[in-house]
């Protein structure tokens, strides 16, 4: 089969032929999938550099979220069978024509959910839904500030916050990206390229009758964005730390947390699923139902062939992508 293989951290993956995954190598609880599509994430760039929370040993392929057809199952797997259409979240390996995934993170696809949508929504929507609902415990009527709101994760946070009954203030860079956030439900939009986030948030919250600031911040950016956010939150606010796309990990001034009774909440989706398996199954079932009903609609801005996957990674690394990028991994497409 064909796959993109990284031989060592920091090296550029190579487009190579590798042996097919054999059903005979499956361990109990594992599922072998013929990959149809793989979602592209900023974390793909991190794992290639050895900067992700999990570090593969030896040569590996990036790719954390896939959809496809079950080829074989190991012992102790009964919820899916060969031939089933599924989605899955392997530790890595999705930039390939086949992947082995832990059965606990493989779910059958409902009728009407296509492979691209399934590959595009798991991590981005899962991150936002679990962070906002289960970690920040958003209540209807609260004001949520979402950064990077035109990106793959930020855009889903806008949608999920609205589903949970919040008023959403979104930040994005440039008129086109701001319009994307508006189109997906943002009540107020700030163009950080031409407006000061701190000042505009204060103006907006004052107009909403809450001059002390927002209740929740959803921050996948970090750096200066986090610093500005910390100074426009209401007492008792919750700040969700989702990632550091800016490349700068903020150093949190604890005195501000103390004085304003603010809570900083770290959220790493993969670890949360492992630590809370019952909540994980329930939450993903909620999301699948909303995907099937059309309540959430992944914005797939581009689909790349597997052999062109490095172009997708470049778009993510350079932050030129909007919405979600997907790789079509099916041969002869």
């Amino acid at each position: 089969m064909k796959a993109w293989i990284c031989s060592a951290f920091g090296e550029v993956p190579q487009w190579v032929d590798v042996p097919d995954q054999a059903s005979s190598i499956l361990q109990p609880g594992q599922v072998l999938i013929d990959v149809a599509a793989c979602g592209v994430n900023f974390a793909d760039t991190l794992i290639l550099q050895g900067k992700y929370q999990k570090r593969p040993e030896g040569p590996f392929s990036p790719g954390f979220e896939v959809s496809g057809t079950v080829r074989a199952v190991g012992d102790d797997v009964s919820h899916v069978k060969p031939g089933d259409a599924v989605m899955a979240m392997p530790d890595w390996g999705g930039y390939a024509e086949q992947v082995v995934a832990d059965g606990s993170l493989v779910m059958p696809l409902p009728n009407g959910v296509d492979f691209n949508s399934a590959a595009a929504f798991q991590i981005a929507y899962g991150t936002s839904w679990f962070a906002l609902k289960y970690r920040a415990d958003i209540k209807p009527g609260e004001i949520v500030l979402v950064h990077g709101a035109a990106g793959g994760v930020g855009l889903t946070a806008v949608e999920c916050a609205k589903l949970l009954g919040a008023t959403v203030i979104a930040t994005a860079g440039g008129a086109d990206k701001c319009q994307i956030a508006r189109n997906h439900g943002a009540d107020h939009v700030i163009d950080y390229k031409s407006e000061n986030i701190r000042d505009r948030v204060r103006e907006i919250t004052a107009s909403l009758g809450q001059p002390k600031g927002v209740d929740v911040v959803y921050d996948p950016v970090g750096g200066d964005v986090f610093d500005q956010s910390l100074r426009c939150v209401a007492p008792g606010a919750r700040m969700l730390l989702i990632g550091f796309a800016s490349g700068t990990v903020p150093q949190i001034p604890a005195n501000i947390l103390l004085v304003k009774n603010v809570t900083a909440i770290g959220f790493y989706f993969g670890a949360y699923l492992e630590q809370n398996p019952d909540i994980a199954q329930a939450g993903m079932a909620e999301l699948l139902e909303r995907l099937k009903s059309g309540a959430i609609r992944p914005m797939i801005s581009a689909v790349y062939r597997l052999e062109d996957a490095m172009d997708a990674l470049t778009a993510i690394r350079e932050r030129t992508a909007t919405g979600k990028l997907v790789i079509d991994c099916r041969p002869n497409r």
Side-chain angles (χ1 to χ4, degrees):
M1 69 172 182
K2 285 287 190 178
W4 285 97
I5 299 296
C6 180
S7 298
F9 296 129
E11 293 188 1
V12 177
Q14 300 299 306
W15 177 237
V16 297
D17 289 300
V18 296
D20 285 355
Q21 303 273 15
S23 58
S24 60
I25 70 170
L26 292 180
Q27 300 297 311
Q30 291 184 327
V31 178
L32 174 60
I33 299 169
D34 288 324
V35 181
C38 180
V40 183
N41 294 279
F42 181 72
D44 296 339
T45 69
L46 298 179
I47 198 170
L48 290 173
Q49 300 173 64
K51 296 180 179 180
Y52 193 61
Q53 291 88 337
K54 292 184 176 180
R55 293 164 59 94
E57 294 182 3
F60 69 97
S61 176
F64 298 98
E65 57 182 339
V66 302
S67 62
T69 304
V70 175
R71 169 67 66 92
V73 299
D75 293 340
D76 301 328
V77 175
S78 59
H79 67 296
V80 295
K81 63 185 186 302
D84 284 352
V86 297
M87 66 181 194
M89 287 181 284
D91 286 335
W92 47 77
Y95 287 33
E97 292 177 355
Q98 292 181 333
V99 69
V100 173
D102 188 291
S104 65
L105 297 177
V106 177
M107 296 187 69
L109 289 183
N111 291 333
V113 175
D114 64 272
F115 285 132
N116 283 355
S117 295
F121 106 107
Q122 295 172 82
I123 290 177
Y125 279 98
T127 296
S128 295
W129 185 254
F130 284 87
L132 292 167
K133 179 176 180 177
Y134 293 102
R135 290 290 281 142
D137 191 26
I138 283 183
K139 299 293 190 294
E142 289 193 307
I143 303 174
V144 178
L145 174 61
V146 176
H147 293 301
V153 173
L155 198 57
T156 66
V158 172
E159 291 186 78
C160 290
K162 292 300 296 179
L163 283 172
L164 292 167
T167 296
V168 175
I169 303 172
T171 71
D176 290 344
K177 290 187 176 182
C178 286
Q179 189 58 49
I180 290 171
R182 258 186 223 99
N183 292 345
H184 283 256
D187 300 286
H188 306 272
V189 179
I190 299 170
D191 184 347
Y192 66 76
K193 288 187 174 180
S194 60
E195 300 175 286
N196 180 277
I197 293 175
R198 178 181 176 182
D199 293 343
R200 282 293 293 133
V201 168
R202 286 179 168 177
E203 291 174 6
I204 293 168
T205 56
S207 73
L208 296 172
Q210 190 167 300
K212 293 186 177 180
V214 301
D215 300 297
V216 175
V217 176
Y218 182 99
D219 182 13
V221 179
D224 180 61
V225 165
F226 177 88
D227 296 336
Q228 291 191 61
S229 299
L230 189 56
R231 288 161 175 80
C232 55
V233 294
R238 293 91 76 200
M239 301 194 66
L240 284 163
L241 309 180
I242 305 300
F244 312 110
S246 67
T248 302
V249 178
Q251 303 303 303
I252 302 174
N255 62 311
I256 297 180
L257 300 184
L258 184 151
V259 171
K260 301 183 78 170
N261 288 303
V262 171
T263 303
I265 304 171
F267 186 75
Y268 167 34
F269 183 45
Y272 188 84
L273 294 182
E274 293 177 1
Q275 295 158 5
N276 303 275
D278 293 339
I279 295 176
Q281 289 293 322
M284 291 308 293
E286 291 169 354
L287 284 173
L288 263 179
E289 185 57 36
R290 284 164 173 78
L291 180 65
K292 181 181 178 181
S293 70
I296 57 175
R297 300 181 305 279
M299 178 187 166
I300 299 173
S301 56
V303 178
Y304 295 77
R305 296 178 301 177
L306 181 56
E307 56 264 41
D308 299 323
M310 293 305 103
D311 294 336
L313 275 185
T314 298
I316 292 292
R317 188 181 296 109
E318 296 179 354
R319 300 180 67 180
T320 59
T322 56
K324 188 73 175 184
L325 305 183
V326 170
I327 299 167
D328 188 330
C329 300
R330 288 166 287 191
N332 304 318
R333 295 283 292 186

